Amino acid sequence: MPGTTKLSVLDLIPVSEGQTSADAIAASRRLVQRADELGYHRYWVAEHHNTELVASTTPPVLLAALGAGTSRIRLGSGGVMLPNHAPFVVAEQFAALESVYPGRIDLGLGRAPGTDPFTAAALRRDLSRDRVDEFPNDVLELMGFLGDVRDEHDREVLNRLRVTPGAATHPEIWLLGSSLYGAELAAAFGLPYTFAHHFAMHADPKAAADHYREHFVPSPVLAEPHFMVSVSAISADTVEEATRLALPSRAAMHQIRFGRPTRVLTPDGAAAYAARMQDRSLFDATTGTQLVGTPEMVADGIDRLVERTGADEVLLAATTHDVEVRIRTIEALAELRDPAAWESRDSAGRASHATVGAHPHN
């Protein structure tokens, strides 16, 4: 139901002009702590490699550090690019995270490399097509290591290989994608599915959602399909200011398209970047952040996306030069969706822990 759908945060940990990786991670710490205070449901970090633009390279390490200042928000990967890693190693990492933050860890899995071929070779050492084609088997293997044992598993292997001793709880496994492939695999395994609409802006999230639900097979971990969609969003008091603040995301998308990503520009720097172009048509065609405007406009855009896709949850992403822009955006959406929780902030400025966007009786 629009207006009651759970909201979460996806963080690429962008590195802005003049920042170090340490600065970017410190900014993300402010973001996740504020999302936790406001009652957002999940905070996920992505996996990218060898780029000036993004400091989110190792989700389990970053989640261990960033989660230290939170109390209830779920912490997860959006996602771990599984072809880059041995399933057993990923299972160990996320089992350890689950021990630190029991009942709060999500393991989102993708099959893209998250980088260029040269860097992929350094990560995987094996760029054969077989490595990517093994993705379904790797997912199944990982599920077994983390407690979701199916008929297809080799029980002797699972008995001999323990990712952590005495596990009381297990991470929640999600599949991510921007095509029908991910939707089909999530449906076949009976896993929750996230459609990456924040960057796959020309793909159809409704088609993926419909395909996922139509082919969903109930599993030991999920009786009914559960669909989340990501979207990039920036709000401000006026449309003009929001549009200005979104310029860095458009510049970043344009740079990525031409293989020349730099650190995130300031709004003025992004405007100057666009002004230097002899042909602005490609820049003008780069959407960047999709939902840009006043908080009411962004909230309406979220509701329309939920109506179109039937999403159970929405994952909010954005590329901004200043993390405070993102913090103000999630604050404004929290206030619009749950005024009572916003008004009940304590003297430290912390909102109540009611989940943002969720009906109070859910």
Side-chain angles (χ1 to χ4, degrees), residues 31-32 50-51 58 77 81 87 115 120-121 199 228 238 292 301 309 344 356:
L31 177 64
V32 66
N50 196 26
T51 173
T58 53
S77 58
M81 300 297 106
T115 189
F199 71 82
M228 179 160 63
T238 67
V292 176
T309 63
S344 69
V356 171

Side-chain angles (χ1 to χ4, degrees), residues 191-204:
L191 295 174
Y193 175 62
T194 299
F195 184 82
H197 186 48
H198 67 286
F199 71 82
M201 292 174 287
H202 301 295
D204 185 2

Side-chain angles (χ1 to χ4, degrees), residues 11 24 35-36 74 78 87 105 148 170 181-182 232 236 245 269-271 277 347:
D11 191 6
D36 185 50
R74 295 191 65 90
I105 297 299
D148 184 3
H170 299 285
Y181 177 90
S232 186
L245 294 173
M277 296 179 186
S347 58

Side-chain angles (χ1 to χ4, degrees), residues 233-292:
I234 293 176
S235 73
D237 291 340
T238 67
V239 174
E240 293 76 17
E241 178 62 5
T243 301
R244 188 184 78 86
L245 294 173
L247 276 174
S249 72
R250 295 181 64 187
M253 289 294 292
H254 185 271
Q255 291 172 335
I256 290 169
R257 179 175 293 182
F258 287 94
R260 296 190 297 270
T262 64
R263 297 185 185 187
V264 182
L265 301 173
T266 65
D268 289 343
Y273 171 82
R276 289 194 298 269
M277 296 179 186
Q278 293 182 341
D279 180 2
R280 275 196 52 161
S281 58
L282 286 175
F283 181 84
D284 291 338
T286 301
T287 308
T289 296
Q290 294 136 291
L291 300 180
V292 176

Side-chain angles (χ1 to χ4, degrees), residues 46-202:
E47 177 187 338
H48 293 278
H49 300 281
N50 196 26
T51 173
E52 286 275 314
L53 185 64
V54 169
S56 183
T57 56
T58 53
V61 172
L62 291 163
L63 292 171
L66 294 171
T70 65
S71 61
R72 48 146 301 279
I73 196 168
R74 295 191 65 90
L75 306 164
S77 58
V80 165
M81 300 297 106
L82 191 53
N84 294 339
H85 311 284
F88 187 72
V89 174
V90 175
E92 284 188 320
Q93 292 168 344
F94 279 79
L97 277 173
E98 181 70 20
S99 298
V100 179
Y101 304 109
R104 294 174 54 196
I105 297 299
D106 301 326
L107 172 52
L109 299 169
R111 68 175 184 135
T115 189
D116 59 272
F118 184 82
T119 308
L123 286 164
R124 303 184 200 174
R125 304 289 180 176
D126 178 6
L127 293 184
S128 67
R129 184 68 196 173
D130 291 346
R131 185 67 262 152
V132 174
D133 290 343
E134 281 296 308
F135 181 69
N137 291 331
D138 286 348
V139 172
L140 184 67
E141 183 179 357
L142 186 51
M143 290 161 55
F145 288 142
L146 291 175
D148 184 3
V149 180
R150 307 290 179 94
D151 291 340
E152 301 92 329
H153 283 114
D154 185 328
R155 304 303 175 94
E156 182 179 352
V157 170
L158 295 183
N159 286 334
R160 294 186 64 183
L161 292 174
R162 299 296 178 90
V163 295
T164 192
T169 58
H170 299 285
E172 191 173 280
I173 298 177
W174 288 69
L175 287 187
L176 284 60
S178 55
S179 68
L180 296 186
Y181 177 90
E184 178 126 8
L185 191 61
F189 283 153
L191 295 174
Y193 175 62
T194 299
F195 184 82
H197 186 48
H198 67 286
F199 71 82
M201 292 174 287
H202 301 295

Side-chain angles (χ1 to χ4, degrees), residues 9-23:
V9 173
L10 173 63
D11 191 6
L12 304 184
I13 315 187
V15 184
S16 297
E17 269 191 324
Q19 280 190 332
T20 64
S21 293
D23 296 329

